Amino acid sequence: DVHCFICLEGGADLLSQGCGCRGGSGFAHAACLETMAASSSSQEDDVQRYLRCATCHQQLMEVVKLLMRRRLWRSRRLSKNKVPRGLAALFLARGLFEESTSPDYRVQKYLHDEATRGLDANHPRRVTSHVELAQVLLKLRRPSDALRLLQAAYPKVICHCGEWELYLASQTMAVVLEDLGRLDQATPFALTAVDMAGRIRDDEARHLATNTYVAILARSGHLHEARTFWTNEIAFWERVYGPDHTYTKRVKRLIETYS
């Protein structure tokens, strides 16, 4: 029988962590996970224990992911230390955004305000917060509002943030402009996102960025360029992961779309 890897007891309230653990070792009670996280002696490790499996150290997924982020925020929202409180707010905001097709903008704005409270206007976390709120607006089908927020944040991203933040801002800007039908303006942002995704060596980011760029090319009528770009991409994915990997197969399907 499946049992909690912490207390070694079963029950109908067992949750799968969705991590890399196999068999019954990936199941636990929510209360046991919270107790384990709260008992950590290291502040940084304490936060991570709400986000990652204590055994395999992969991110918690599925139902338990958002549940633990809610409990992290509940345990930190009254803290006088702005660092753990801000991180808790940020992780909950991201969890709610990922899990909802129609996120509550007021809740997102509140959590992002908490995450950046006391930070300088040019602090990378504050600047990135504006980009993430723009993503919320885009998800709510408010691209014009998202664009206004991005236009104010993008120069600060260039001046005060790193490559990952520049990828995020450029990718979001490209998607917003594509949604508004401003394809010529979207193209340079999409190219910047592709470049930054390659620099940060994030495969999922690279896939999202290249997909956006090719979609913009195709919508602009540049089908030959789109096919050429994807053909070059398939060589990269096959070299890195092989012909049977999920990424490789996904790219091959996209090439067929533009054939």
Side-chain angles (χ1 to χ4, degrees):
D1 293 338
V2 176
H3 58 267
C4 173
F5 80 93
I6 300 171
C7 71
L8 304 181
E9 295 183 2
D13 55 342
L14 277 174
L15 296 172
S16 169
Q17 297 187 103
C19 57
C21 293
R22 296 292 178 262
S25 58
F27 288 82
H29 299 111
C32 292
L33 287 171
E34 184 175 17
T35 300
M36 174 180 281
S39 65
S40 171
S41 58
S42 166
Q43 184 183 90
E44 180 180 358
D45 189 48
D46 177 51
V47 172
Q48 288 301 316
R49 286 200 181 200
Y50 282 88
L51 308 175
R52 298 181 181 277
C53 171
T55 304
C56 71
H57 306 295
Q58 289 189 15
Q59 280 199 9
L60 300 175
M61 302 297 288
E62 302 173 4
V63 176
V64 74
K65 174 182 177 179
L66 185 55
L67 184 148
M68 290 302 291
R69 291 185 183 211
R70 288 183 185 276
R71 297 194 176 199
L72 171 61
W73 171 241
R74 187 178 66 186
S75 70
R76 296 292 178 270
R77 64 187 180 88
L78 299 179
S79 173
K80 294 181 180 180
N81 188 331
K82 66 182 181 182
V83 175
R85 186 182 70 239
L87 287 174
L90 183 63
F91 286 125
L92 178 56
R94 290 174 176 172
L96 290 170
F97 172 78
E98 292 167 2
E99 294 298 320
S100 175
T101 56
S102 183
D104 189 321
Y105 184 77
R106 290 174 299 177
V107 172
Q108 288 286 325
K109 182 68 167 60
Y110 166 74
L111 289 171
H112 278 281
D113 285 346
E114 286 295 311
T116 58
R117 188 178 302 279
L119 298 179
D120 181 83
N122 295 325
H123 190 284
R125 194 195 298 173
R126 182 178 287 275
V127 175
T128 306
S129 176
H130 294 158
V131 177
E132 294 187 17
L133 285 173
Q135 291 182 324
V136 174
L137 290 169
L138 181 62
K139 209 170 194 179
L140 293 171
R141 307 304 303 157
R142 295 168 56 185
S144 296
D145 292 334
L147 180 60
R148 282 190 287 271
L149 200 55
L150 285 169
Q151 286 172 330
Y154 200 84
K156 294 182 179 180
V157 172
I158 294 175
C159 294
H160 304 289
C161 297
E163 292 177 340
W164 184 88
E165 291 85 1
L166 184 54
Y167 155 74
L168 183 68
S170 300
Q171 172 67 11
T172 307
M173 183 72 89
V175 174
V176 167
L177 289 169
E178 182 195 6
D179 192 70
L180 291 169
R182 296 159 67 167
L183 303 179
D184 289 341
Q185 295 178 34
T187 301
F189 289 105
L191 274 173
T192 300
V194 171
D195 181 34
M196 290 300 107
R199 293 190 187 188
I200 62 177
R201 301 180 183 277
D202 186 314
D203 291 340
E204 184 64 23
R206 176 171 176 149
H207 182 74
L208 290 172
T210 52
N211 191 25
T212 299
Y213 178 57
V214 171
I216 292 170
L217 285 177
R219 286 188 61 189
S220 302
H222 303 299
L223 294 178
H224 175 71
E225 290 88 341
R227 285 193 294 269
T228 300
F229 193 85
W230 271 128
T231 300
N232 293 333
E233 279 297 293
I234 196 65
F236 168 80
W237 295 114
E238 287 187 332
R239 183 176 69 254
V240 174
Y241 291 115
D244 297 322
H245 191 273
T246 301
Y247 281 132
T248 308
K249 291 180 179 179
R250 196 185 301 172
V251 173
K252 286 181 177 179
R253 287 195 296 270
L254 287 166
I255 290 177
E256 293 174 359
T257 302
Y258 298 112
S259 298

